[in-house]
Coordinates of all heavy atoms in Angstrom, one line a residue:
A12 N -4.1 61.9 -39.6 CA -4.2 61.5 -38.2 C -3.8 62.7 -37.4 O -3.9 63.8 -37.8 CB -3.4 60.2 -38.1
A13 N -3.2 62.4 -36.2 CA -2.6 63.5 -35.5 C -1.5 64.1 -36.4 O -0.7 63.4 -37.0 CB -2.0 63.0 -34.2
A14 N -1.4 65.4 -36.5 CA -0.6 66.0 -37.5 C -0.2 67.4 -37.2 O -0.8 68.1 -36.4 CB -1.3 66.0 -38.9
H15 N 1.0 67.8 -37.8 CA 1.4 69.2 -37.9 C 0.8 69.8 -39.2 O 1.0 69.2 -40.2 CB 2.9 69.4 -37.9 CG 3.6 68.9 -36.6 ND1 3.5 69.6 -35.4 CD2 4.4 67.9 -36.4 CE1 4.2 69.0 -34.5 NE2 4.7 67.9 -35.1
L16 N 0.2 70.9 -39.1 CA -0.4 71.5 -40.3 C 0.1 73.0 -40.4 O 0.4 73.6 -39.4 CB -2.0 71.6 -40.2 CG -2.6 70.2 -40.1 CD1 -3.2 70.0 -38.7 CD2 -3.7 70.0 -41.1
H17 N 0.1 73.4 -41.6 CA 0.5 74.8 -41.9 C -0.6 75.7 -41.2 O -1.8 75.4 -41.2 CB 0.5 75.1 -43.4 CG 1.1 76.5 -43.7 ND1 0.4 77.7 -43.6 CD2 2.4 76.8 -44.1 CE1 1.2 78.7 -43.9 NE2 2.4 78.2 -44.3
I18 N -0.1 76.8 -40.6 CA -1.0 77.7 -39.8 C -2.2 78.2 -40.6 O -3.3 78.4 -40.0 CB -0.2 78.8 -39.1 CG1 -1.0 79.5 -38.0 CG2 0.3 79.8 -40.2 CD1 -1.2 78.6 -36.8
D19 N -2.0 78.4 -41.9 CA -3.1 79.0 -42.7 C -4.3 78.0 -42.8 O -5.4 78.5 -43.2 CB -2.6 79.3 -44.1 CG -1.7 80.5 -44.1 OD1 -1.7 81.3 -43.1 OD2 -1.0 80.7 -45.1
L20 N -4.1 76.7 -42.5 CA -5.2 75.8 -42.6 C -6.1 75.8 -41.3 O -7.2 75.2 -41.4 CB -4.7 74.4 -42.7 CG -3.9 74.1 -44.0 CD1 -3.5 72.6 -44.0 CD2 -4.7 74.4 -45.2
H21 N -5.8 76.5 -40.3 CA -6.6 76.5 -39.1 C -8.1 76.9 -39.3 O -9.0 76.1 -38.9 CB -6.0 77.4 -38.0 CG -6.7 77.3 -36.7 ND1 -7.8 78.1 -36.3 CD2 -6.5 76.4 -35.6 CE1 -8.2 77.8 -35.2 NE2 -7.5 76.8 -34.7
P22 N -8.4 77.9 -40.0 CA -9.8 78.2 -40.3 C -10.5 77.1 -41.0 O -11.7 76.9 -40.8 CB -9.7 79.5 -41.1 CG -8.4 80.1 -40.8 CD -7.5 79.0 -40.6
L23 N -9.8 76.3 -41.8 CA -10.4 75.3 -42.6 C -10.8 74.1 -41.8 O -11.5 73.2 -42.3 CB -9.5 74.9 -43.8 CG -9.1 76.0 -44.7 CD1 -8.2 75.4 -45.8 CD2 -10.4 76.6 -45.4
F24 N -10.3 74.0 -40.5 CA -10.7 72.9 -39.7 C -11.6 73.3 -38.5 O -12.0 72.5 -37.7 CB -9.4 72.2 -39.1 CG -8.7 71.4 -40.1 CD1 -7.8 71.9 -40.9 CD2 -9.1 70.0 -40.2 CE1 -7.1 71.1 -41.8 CE2 -8.5 69.2 -41.1 CZ -7.5 69.7 -42.0
R25 N -12.1 74.6 -38.5 CA -13.0 75.0 -37.4 C -14.3 74.3 -37.5 O -15.0 74.1 -36.5 CB -13.1 76.5 -37.5 CG -11.8 77.3 -37.1 CD -12.0 78.8 -37.2 NE -10.8 79.5 -37.1 CZ -10.6 80.7 -37.5 NH1 -11.6 81.4 -38.1 NH2 -9.4 81.3 -37.4
W26 N -14.8 74.0 -38.7 CA -16.0 73.2 -38.9 C -15.9 71.9 -38.2 O -16.9 71.4 -37.6 CB -16.4 73.0 -40.3 CG -15.5 72.1 -41.1 CD1 -14.3 72.5 -41.8 CD2 -15.5 70.7 -41.2 NE1 -13.7 71.4 -42.3 CE2 -14.4 70.3 -41.9 CE3 -16.5 69.8 -40.7 CZ2 -14.2 68.9 -42.2 CZ3 -16.2 68.4 -41.0 CH2 -15.1 68.0 -41.7
K27 N -14.8 71.3 -38.2 CA -14.6 70.0 -37.6 C -14.6 70.1 -36.1 O -15.2 69.3 -35.4 CB -13.3 69.4 -38.1 CG -13.1 67.9 -37.7 CD -11.8 67.4 -38.4 CE -11.6 65.9 -38.2 NZ -10.4 65.4 -38.9
M28 N -14.0 71.2 -35.6 CA -14.0 71.5 -34.2 C -15.4 71.7 -33.7 O -15.8 71.3 -32.6 CB -13.1 72.7 -33.9 CG -11.6 72.5 -34.3 SD -10.6 74.0 -34.2 CE -9.1 73.5 -35.0
D29 N -16.1 72.5 -34.5 CA -17.5 72.8 -34.1 C -18.4 71.5 -34.1 O -19.2 71.3 -33.3 CB -18.1 73.8 -35.1 CG -19.5 74.2 -34.8 OD1 -19.7 74.8 -33.7 OD2 -20.4 73.9 -35.6
A30 N -18.1 70.6 -35.1 CA -18.9 69.4 -35.2 C -18.6 68.5 -33.9 O -19.5 67.9 -33.4 CB -18.5 68.6 -36.4
A31 N -17.3 68.6 -33.4 CA -17.0 67.8 -32.2 C -17.8 68.4 -31.0 O -18.3 67.7 -30.2 CB -15.5 67.9 -32.0
R32 N -17.8 69.8 -30.9 CA -18.5 70.4 -29.8 C -20.0 70.1 -29.8 O -20.7 69.9 -28.8 CB -18.4 71.9 -29.9 CG -17.0 72.4 -29.4 CD -17.0 73.9 -29.2 NE -17.1 74.6 -30.4 CZ -16.1 75.0 -31.2 NH1 -14.9 74.7 -30.9 NH2 -16.3 75.7 -32.3
R33 N -20.6 69.9 -31.0 CA -22.0 69.6 -31.2 C -22.3 68.2 -31.1 O -23.5 67.8 -31.2 CB -22.5 70.2 -32.5 CG -22.5 71.7 -32.6 CD -22.8 72.1 -34.1 NE -22.7 73.6 -34.2 CZ -23.8 74.4 -34.0 NH1 -25.0 73.9 -33.7 NH2 -23.7 75.7 -34.2
G34 N -21.3 67.3 -31.0 CA -21.5 65.9 -30.9 C -21.7 65.2 -32.2 O -22.0 64.0 -32.3
R35 N -21.5 65.9 -33.3 CA -21.6 65.3 -34.7 C -20.4 64.5 -35.0 O -20.4 63.6 -35.9 CB -21.9 66.4 -35.7 CG -23.3 67.1 -35.6 CD -23.4 68.2 -36.6 NE -22.9 67.8 -37.9 CZ -22.1 68.6 -38.7 NH1 -21.7 69.8 -38.2 NH2 -21.7 68.2 -39.9
L36 N -19.3 64.9 -34.5 CA -18.0 64.2 -34.7 C -17.6 63.4 -33.4 O -17.3 64.0 -32.4 CB -16.9 65.2 -35.1 CG -15.5 64.6 -35.3 CD1 -15.4 63.7 -36.5 CD2 -14.5 65.7 -35.4
R37 N -17.7 62.1 -33.5 CA -17.5 61.3 -32.4 C -16.1 60.6 -32.6 O -16.0 59.7 -33.5 CB -18.6 60.3 -32.1 CG -20.0 61.0 -32.1 CD -21.1 60.1 -31.7 NE -21.1 59.7 -30.3 CZ -21.7 60.4 -29.4 NH1 -22.3 61.6 -29.7 NH2 -21.7 60.0 -28.1
H38 N -15.1 61.0 -31.8 CA -13.8 60.5 -32.1 C -13.2 59.8 -30.9 O -13.0 60.4 -29.8 CB -12.9 61.8 -32.4 CG -11.5 61.5 -32.9 ND1 -11.2 61.1 -34.2 CD2 -10.4 61.7 -32.3 CE1 -9.9 61.0 -34.3 NE2 -9.4 61.3 -33.1
W39 N -12.9 58.5 -31.1 CA -12.2 57.7 -30.1 C -12.9 57.8 -28.7 O -12.2 57.7 -27.7 CB -10.8 58.2 -29.9 CG -9.9 57.8 -31.0 CD1 -10.2 57.1 -32.1 CD2 -8.4 58.0 -31.0 NE1 -9.1 56.9 -32.9 CE2 -8.0 57.4 -32.2 CE3 -7.5 58.6 -30.2 CZ2 -6.7 57.4 -32.6 CZ3 -6.2 58.6 -30.5 CH2 -5.8 58.0 -31.8
G40 N -14.2 57.9 -28.7 CA -14.9 57.9 -27.4 C -14.8 59.2 -26.6 O -15.4 59.3 -25.5
L41 N -14.2 60.2 -27.2 CA -14.1 61.5 -26.5 C -15.4 62.2 -26.3 O -15.6 62.7 -25.2 CB -13.1 62.4 -27.3 CG -11.7 61.9 -27.4 CD1 -10.9 62.9 -28.3 CD2 -11.0 61.8 -26.0
T42 N -16.3 62.1 -27.3 CA -17.6 62.7 -27.1 C -18.4 62.1 -26.0 O -19.0 62.7 -25.2 CB -18.3 62.7 -28.4 OG1 -17.5 63.3 -29.5 CG2 -19.7 63.5 -28.3
S43 N -18.4 60.7 -26.0 CA -19.1 60.0 -25.0 C -18.5 60.3 -23.6 O -19.3 60.5 -22.6 CB -19.0 58.5 -25.2 OG -19.6 58.2 -26.4
F44 N -17.2 60.5 -23.5 CA -16.6 60.8 -22.2 C -17.1 62.2 -21.8 O -17.5 62.4 -20.6 CB -15.1 60.9 -22.3 CG -14.4 61.3 -21.1 CD1 -14.1 60.4 -20.1 CD2 -14.0 62.7 -20.9 CE1 -13.5 60.9 -18.9 CE2 -13.4 63.1 -19.8 CZ -13.1 62.2 -18.8
Y45 N -17.2 63.1 -22.7 CA -17.7 64.5 -22.4 C -19.1 64.4 -21.9 O -19.5 65.1 -20.9 CB -17.5 65.4 -23.5 CG -18.2 66.8 -23.3 CD1 -17.7 67.7 -22.4 CD2 -19.4 67.1 -24.0 CE1 -18.3 68.9 -22.1 CE2 -20.0 68.3 -23.8 CZ -19.5 69.2 -22.8 OH -20.1 70.4 -22.6
E46 N -19.9 63.7 -22.6 CA -21.4 63.6 -22.3 C -21.6 63.0 -20.9 O -22.5 63.4 -20.2 CB -22.1 62.8 -23.3 CG -22.2 63.5 -24.7 CD -22.7 62.5 -25.8 OE1 -22.7 61.3 -25.5 OE2 -23.0 63.0 -26.8
D47 N -20.7 62.2 -20.4 CA -20.8 61.6 -19.1 C -20.0 62.4 -18.0 O -20.2 62.1 -16.8 CB -20.2 60.1 -19.1 CG -21.0 59.2 -20.0 OD1 -22.2 59.5 -20.2 OD2 -20.5 58.2 -20.5
N48 N -19.2 63.3 -18.4 CA -18.3 64.0 -17.5 C -18.2 65.5 -17.8 O -17.1 66.1 -17.7 CB -16.9 63.4 -17.5 CG -16.9 61.9 -17.1 OD1 -16.8 61.5 -16.0 ND2 -16.9 61.1 -18.2
K49 N -19.3 66.1 -18.1 CA -19.3 67.5 -18.5 C -18.6 68.5 -17.5 O -17.8 69.3 -17.8 CB -20.7 68.0 -18.9 CG -21.3 67.4 -20.1 CD -22.6 67.9 -20.4 CE -23.2 67.2 -21.7 NZ -24.6 67.7 -22.0
S50 N -19.0 68.3 -16.2 CA -18.5 69.2 -15.2 C -17.0 69.0 -15.0 O -16.2 70.0 -14.9 CB -19.2 68.9 -13.8 OG -20.5 69.1 -13.9
F51 N -16.5 67.8 -15.1 CA -15.1 67.5 -15.0 C -14.3 68.2 -16.2 O -13.2 68.8 -16.0 CB -14.8 66.0 -14.9 CG -13.3 65.7 -14.9 CD1 -12.7 65.7 -13.6 CD2 -12.6 65.3 -16.0 CE1 -11.3 65.4 -13.6 CE2 -11.3 65.0 -15.9 CZ -10.6 65.1 -14.7
V52 N -14.8 68.0 -17.4 CA -14.2 68.6 -18.5 C -14.1 70.1 -18.4 O -13.1 70.7 -18.7 CB -14.9 68.2 -19.8 CG1 -14.3 68.9 -21.0 CG2 -14.8 66.7 -20.1
R53 N -15.2 70.7 -18.0 CA -15.2 72.2 -17.8 C -14.2 72.7 -16.7 O -13.6 73.7 -16.9 CB -16.6 72.7 -17.5 CG -17.7 72.4 -18.5 CD -17.3 72.2 -20.0 NE -16.8 73.5 -20.6 CZ -16.4 73.5 -21.8 NH1 -16.3 72.4 -22.6 NH2 -16.0 74.7 -22.4
R54 N -14.1 71.9 -15.7 CA -13.1 72.2 -14.6 C -11.7 72.1 -15.2 O -10.8 72.9 -14.8 CB -13.3 71.3 -13.4 CG -14.6 71.5 -12.6 CD -14.5 70.9 -11.2 NE -14.2 69.5 -11.2 CZ -15.1 68.5 -11.3 NH1 -16.4 68.9 -11.3 NH2 -14.8 67.3 -11.3
T55 N -11.5 71.1 -16.0 CA -10.2 70.9 -16.6 C -9.9 72.1 -17.5 O -8.7 72.6 -17.5 CB -10.2 69.6 -17.5 OG1 -10.4 68.5 -16.6 CG2 -8.8 69.4 -18.1
L56 N -10.8 72.6 -18.3 CA -10.6 73.8 -19.1 C -10.3 75.0 -18.2 O -9.3 75.7 -18.6 CB -11.8 74.1 -19.9 CG -11.8 75.3 -20.8 CD1 -10.7 75.2 -21.9 CD2 -13.1 75.5 -21.6

């Protein structure tokens, strides 16, 4: 779930991050929120 991970594991989770960016990983409605609020999310970034 939400977790602390050893720093060496970061590269091993980049595929998951990429899947979220591509909309393949839909987590807690976050992807739907982004699809409906792209400009707001980019402004937040």
